Amino acid sequence: MFTIFPALVRGPLAESLLGKAIADGVVDVRVHDLRDWADDPHRSVDDEPYGGGPGMVMRAAPVFAAVESLDPDRGRVLLMSPAGRRLNQAMVRELAAEPHLSIVCGRYEGVDERVAEGLPAEEVSIGDYVTAGGELPALVVIETVTRLVPGVIGSEASHRSDSFSVPDLFDHPHYTRPREFRGLFVPEVLLSGDHAEVERWRAERARTKTRRNRPDLRPGDQG
Ligand code: JEE
């Protein structure tokens, strides 16, 4: 990935699932400082917008130079952008099948349009809200993709029961010990040992939770 804030992403990349996948060599994540490809002594990567307006724009030249330095293994080039194609689990699965990906993280008001047009780079958004730059969105892409790489989670079963593995249906609620916590009880059916009854209960709760939290989804239509 390419960023002007390498330190912002190194912490998250070193912890938990990502940290282990990288330490195990199952995935390789390289963090490049875009300023290393700046062409002036001040290592500047931004400039004023043509046409006027507030804020600054990330310049095309350092981004082109940085990404082109990776030849021939750059793979698909993603440009994180609030105006990108919205990331979903189908896109994550598609990206997880790629041997190499390059992710460009902008800052400021965004990146000179010629990066998307000429590099070229595919604009991707993680959702309909605005972050201050592409780094946190890029980490979302990296984590969602990494957990689908064979050998990272270990059990295929964890993927099958994921929310969104069955299209448009959330996972059922989960409980663990103790049976009672602050007057809140684990549903009796989960203690019954009746696996068929447990499966019926879980399917029903998955559907009710999906309808309550996501009335825009039609659980079961595709799954
Ligand atoms: C990359 C800079 C900050 C803030 C102008 C005008 C945009 C850019 N899902 C996602 N949300 N945000 C990003 C994202 C944000 C980024 C960059 C990704 C580079 N920024 C920035 C404000 C604006 N706004 C009104 O419409 C909204 C542009 C992202 C992803 N992926």
Side-chain angles (χ1 to χ4, degrees):
M1 71 185 293
F2 299 90
T3 172
I4 60 169
F5 295 116
L8 181 57
V9 300
R10 286 216 169 94
L13 290 172
E15 299 287 337
S16 189
L17 176 135
L18 278 175
K20 181 159 193 303
I22 293 165
D24 291 349
V26 182
V27 297
D28 182 17
V29 181
R30 298 177 192 188
V31 182
H32 305 279
D33 188 343
L34 277 168
R35 290 192 193 280
D36 292 347
W37 287 273
D39 47 16
D40 66 315
H42 292 104
R43 311 224 303 159
S44 74
V45 294
D46 64 322
D47 206 340
E48 294 162 341
Y50 274 121
M56 300 296 273
V57 176
M58 192 169 275
R59 293 165 48 223
V63 178
F64 268 71
V67 174
E68 286 173 344
S69 77
L70 253 64
D71 239 19
D73 282 346
R74 70 175 84 128
R76 283 168 67 175
V77 182
L78 310 184
L79 174 63
M80 304 317 299
S81 162
R85 179 179 162 211
R86 175 111 61 84
L87 186 73
N88 59 26
Q89 194 64 19
M91 207 188 308
V92 171
R93 281 192 287 265
E94 193 185 295
L95 295 174
E98 297 284 336
H100 302 278
L101 296 171
S102 293
I103 309 181
V104 177
C105 305
R107 278 273 152 176
Y108 318 110
E109 297 301 302
V111 179
D112 189 305
E113 186 68 18
R114 289 167 291 189
V115 167
E117 188 186 320
L119 200 49
E122 307 171 47
E123 293 176 277
V124 175
S125 166
I126 60 162
D128 293 342
Y129 39 78
V130 184
T131 69
E135 287 79 9
L136 300 184
L139 287 170
V140 168
V141 171
I142 293 168
E143 181 166 289
T144 54
V145 167
T146 297
R147 61 187 289 285
L148 298 191
V149 172
V152 171
I153 280 192
S155 84
E156 263 300 303
S158 338
H159 293 317
R160 265 199 307 280
S161 62
D162 272 4
S163 295
F164 299 112
S165 281
V166 176
D168 296 344
L169 184 63
F170 286 157
D171 202 358
H172 56 78
H174 300 272
Y175 294 86
T176 186
R177 290 184 287 187
R179 288 172 61 163
E180 184 249 316
F181 177 74
R182 297 192 178 181
L184 302 169
F185 289 85
V186 174
E188 277 299 329
V189 59
L190 299 180
L191 315 171
S192 68
D194 183 339
H195 297 300
E197 198 54 37
V198 167
E199 282 317 299
R200 264 193 297 280
W201 179 89
R202 285 177 167 172
E204 171 56 22
R205 290 295 304 269
R207 276 168 180 76
T208 55
K209 187 185 282 258
T210 304
R211 281 192 197 284
R212 174 161 47 83
N213 291 349
R214 293 292 301 272
D216 57 313
L217 299 181
R218 308 300 316 161
D221 275 10
Q222 300 159 66

